[in-house]
Amino acid sequence: MYADDETVRRILQDSGDTWAVVGLSTNRSRAAYGVAEALKRFGKRVVPVHPKAEPVHGEQGYASLADIPFPVDVVDVFVNSDLAGGVADEAVAVGAKAVWFQLGVIDEEAYERTRAAGLAMVMDRCPAIEIPRLDPRR
């Protein structure tokens, strides 16, 4: 409902390989940890964004998107819906090409703002599910 297959495919295959995963920590029981592993297997560089700024999956963590000292292509959002809009606005501010709100993360106003700013956006879907569904190489 919040993205067609072509948008999903474009973000996964053509938007770039550096993904900032907001909410990614060292907690292996959280969905973000497993999805980040799937993104890495798909060839993406996964940059953790979490208040603790812990290294995860061999990549230095950062407390915010603004703290990342290099360009980010896609911002993958694992925060509560009430915080997600602010993250989407930060993604626009740092020059990301796309924003991905995970399953259950929904903010229709943020979706409209982000798309109006020219970014591709997916909401309420999971790249770990979409990668094997849309990419015949996997």
Side-chain angles (χ1 to χ4, degrees):
M1 179 165 145
Y2 299 110
D4 57 72
D5 285 350
E6 184 52 39
T7 300
V8 169
R9 185 177 288 110
R10 190 172 65 250
I11 291 172
L12 288 171
Q13 295 178 339
D14 302 329
S15 290
D17 291 332
T18 302
W19 284 52
V21 180
V22 179
L24 176 58
S25 71
T26 58
N27 185 341
R28 293 174 179 262
S29 68
R30 303 290 304 213
Y33 194 90
V35 171
E37 282 182 323
L39 287 167
K40 284 185 64 81
R41 283 192 304 273
F42 190 60
K44 304 302 181 187
R45 178 182 185 188
V46 175
V47 180
V49 179
H50 188 277
K52 293 181 181 178
E54 303 168 300
V56 183
H57 298 306
E59 187 74 43
Q60 174 60 49
Y62 297 90
S64 72
L65 291 172
D67 291 339
I68 300 173
F70 47 82
V72 170
D73 300 310
V74 181
V75 176
D76 190 5
V77 181
F78 281 92
V79 299
N80 292 331
S81 295
D82 60 336
L83 301 174
V87 175
D89 295 339
E90 290 175 38
V92 171
V94 301
K97 297 174 189 170
V99 175
W100 191 300
F101 281 8
Q102 284 294 320
L103 289 172
V105 180
I106 299 171
D107 181 332
E108 292 180 7
E109 291 177 6
Y111 181 84
E112 294 302 325
R113 281 195 314 271
T114 304
R115 303 262 303 149
L119 281 70
M121 183 157 181
V122 170
M123 186 163 62
D124 194 27
R125 290 172 85 167
C126 178
I129 293 169
E130 302 300 330
I131 288 168
R133 191 176 77 76
L134 295 176
D135 186 3
R137 298 172 297 164
R138 305 275 178 239

